[in-house]
Amino acid sequence: ASRVGLSPKVMRRAVGAGWVRRVAPGCFVDATVWSAARSSDRQVLLAQVALWQRPWAVVSHHTAAAVHGLPLPPHPPEWVALTTQRSLGTAGGGIARLEPGALPVEAVLTTSGMAVTDVPRTVVDCLRTLPLADGVAIADAAVGRGLVSLAALSRERARQKGWPHVTDVDCGLWLLDPVRESWFESVSFTQLWIAGVRVPEHQVTVLDARDRFVARVDGLWREEGVVGEADGDSKYLDKLDPDDAAAKAVARALIAEKRREDRLHDLGLDVVRWSPRETVSVRADRVRTTWAIARRTFRGRLVSHERSRHAWRAAVDEPVLRTRPHARS
């Protein structure tokens, strides 16, 4: 600001008028840019500021996930996560929190001019420190998009042996399934597992008796013949037409979903839907109730997704969830 001739007095007026947003001492952003940015974009903007203040640190944890384009919860932490090998007298300050930790050269990348932990390190850090469901959503997306392999995550988990909460990573890796298609899908099925509902098989294709395609479902509990559908609001709101036909667009989507559900019912499958507005306990109770009354007479054929980890998971002992407040959020 000084270089282009803007005095402190002018900047104070700009902030007061709402034209400019002050994000840290001496650091400002155009208010229109900030208001238009998603929560993940704001993390990236703040990361640039944090590294300007501490150029010897590395962007990590949920902030690195944002830089890598991985999904964050709707309301992520408002602070920037940095990792440093320096000896610290404080955990940080201002918009940043500093984590002391080993940083091998191979675990650090340069992205958009910033030093950032690589994807395996970022995902495992998130599984250690975020609520379990949020960490699993990040892991699902990273593996599903081909940014990292399960083997690489397992190697990184082994490198972090003895680090705080690293045993929680085992739950996250066991729950990981790269075929889940959205943040809400990953989060809701993980939350159901925490509430005591076993993990279903994901993205199963349902065919009728004549081998015609009926649907691909978010989750399927085969034994009970029950389908679980995680319906985020965007499933319908993204179809809104800003010009004129908004109601018609949503109505078409709802009618298509109704017909799809009717066809599943005709084949003998019961369907449970839930939205972000329902509590986890309500969702879990609805699933258990539907299990109890399900018909269990399926007339058709089911095809597992070739990339789903359901079969592998069924053969491995289910981990015990460690008692940790933010893991049960």
Side-chain angles (χ1 to χ4, degrees):
S2 298
R3 283 198 299 270
V4 297
L6 297 176
S7 67
K9 184 178 180 179
V10 169
M11 291 304 296
R12 284 195 296 271
R13 286 180 177 175
V15 172
W19 303 329
V20 171
R21 182 183 178 91
R22 179 179 179 273
V23 295
C27 296
F28 305 86
V29 63
D30 188 312
T32 57
V33 172
W34 183 264
S35 61
R38 299 171 301 171
S39 57
S40 56
D41 296 330
R42 291 180 180 183
Q43 276 287 314
V44 176
L45 288 171
L46 293 176
Q48 294 170 345
V49 175
L51 285 184
W52 174 73
Q53 295 173 329
R54 301 174 176 87
W56 34 265
V58 174
V59 176
S60 60
H61 298 74
H62 67 276
T63 309
V67 175
H68 290 303
L70 297 172
L72 295 185
H75 303 289
E78 295 181 355
W79 42 269
V80 171
L82 301 177
T83 294
T84 175
Q85 297 185 105
R86 289 191 175 191
S87 177
L88 300 171
T90 176
I95 63 171
R97 289 191 187 179
L98 303 182
E99 284 281 344
L103 284 169
V105 173
E106 62 273 15
V108 180
L109 306 173
T110 299
T111 302
S112 301
M114 295 184 288
V116 184
T117 53
D118 66 1
V119 176
R121 172 65 176 268
T122 297
V123 172
V124 172
D125 281 345
C126 288
L127 285 170
R128 283 194 304 110
T129 57
L130 290 178
L132 181 63
D134 292 332
V136 170
I138 289 171
D140 282 350
V143 178
R145 297 174 189 176
L147 301 179
V148 69
S149 66
L150 179 61
L153 294 178
S154 298
R155 289 193 295 270
E156 180 60 36
R157 186 265 180 251
R159 276 196 288 268
Q160 295 192 19
K161 181 179 180 180
W163 291 25
H165 306 303
V166 74
T167 52
D168 293 326
V169 178
D170 299 330
C171 285
L173 294 182
W174 185 83
L175 287 164
L176 187 156
D177 199 327
V179 304
R180 291 188 282 234
E181 294 183 336
S182 69
W183 174 88
F184 182 57
E185 193 176 325
S186 297
V187 165
S188 59
F189 283 112
T190 301
Q191 291 172 332
L192 283 174
W193 178 78
I194 294 172
V197 176
R198 74 176 186 277
V199 179
E201 187 174 353
H202 296 289
Q203 298 301 320
V204 177
T205 298
V206 181
L207 306 174
D208 66 13
R210 297 173 61 183
D211 250 14
R212 295 175 299 189
F213 176 83
V214 175
R216 189 171 65 181
V217 299
D218 292 345
L220 173 68
W221 291 278
R222 286 198 186 219
E223 184 179 338
E224 291 81 6
V226 173
V227 168
E229 295 278 82
D231 283 349
D233 293 343
S234 62
K235 186 172 186 177
Y236 305 109
L237 296 180
D238 285 350
K239 296 177 173 59
L240 289 173
D241 186 332
D243 294 326
D244 186 48
K248 290 182 179 179
V250 174
R252 284 194 297 269
L254 290 171
I255 290 169
E257 283 298 315
K258 178 64 168 60
R259 289 174 177 169
R260 176 178 178 272
E261 188 166 322
D262 286 345
R263 295 182 69 190
L264 291 171
H265 277 292
D266 291 343
L267 294 176
L269 295 173
D270 287 276
V271 179
V272 183
R273 294 183 178 278
W274 56 83
S275 74
R277 293 179 175 83
E278 293 176 288
T279 65
V280 176
S281 60
V282 167
R283 298 175 204 167
D285 287 344
R286 289 179 56 210
V287 170
R288 295 189 186 100
T289 299
T290 307
W291 283 358
I293 64 175
R295 290 165 288 176
R296 298 181 176 83
T297 53
F298 176 64
R299 297 175 297 280
R301 188 163 71 90
L302 302 170
V303 181
S304 299
H305 195 293
E306 61 183 11
R307 294 187 63 202
S308 176
R309 298 186 61 228
H310 174 78
W312 174 90
R313 184 168 47 227
V316 178
D317 289 338
E318 183 172 351
V320 176
L321 181 66
R322 306 292 188 237
T323 301
R324 180 157 62 100
H326 70 266
R328 295 187 179 272
S329 299

